Amino acid sequence: MSFIKELWAFMRARKKYWLLPILVMMVLLGALIVLAQGSAVAPFIYTLF
């Protein structure tokens, strides 16, 4: 959690708010990959793409 707090403090101090959507998309895609590895949700995820 300290990394996230430090990253947020950096973005606020340097006015780099444009990084937030990129980070959110990276987290969502990472979660999608983890879910697709070996779960019952995998066939439904593959049909999206």
Side-chain angles (χ1 to χ4, degrees):
M1 279 312 270
S2 65
F3 175 72
I4 294 171
K5 288 180 185 178
E6 189 174 330
L7 183 62
W8 179 249
F10 168 78
M11 287 177 15
R12 285 185 57 205
R14 305 254 195 256
K15 306 285 192 246
K16 303 276 186 191
Y17 295 116
W18 56 270
L19 288 173
L20 192 60
I22 296 170
L23 292 173
V24 168
M25 289 305 296
M26 287 176 60
V27 167
L28 288 175
L29 286 174
L32 186 66
I33 290 171
V34 168
L35 281 175
Q37 286 299 316
S39 68
V41 184
F44 301 111
I45 293 173
Y46 292 135
T47 59
L48 294 174
F49 299 104

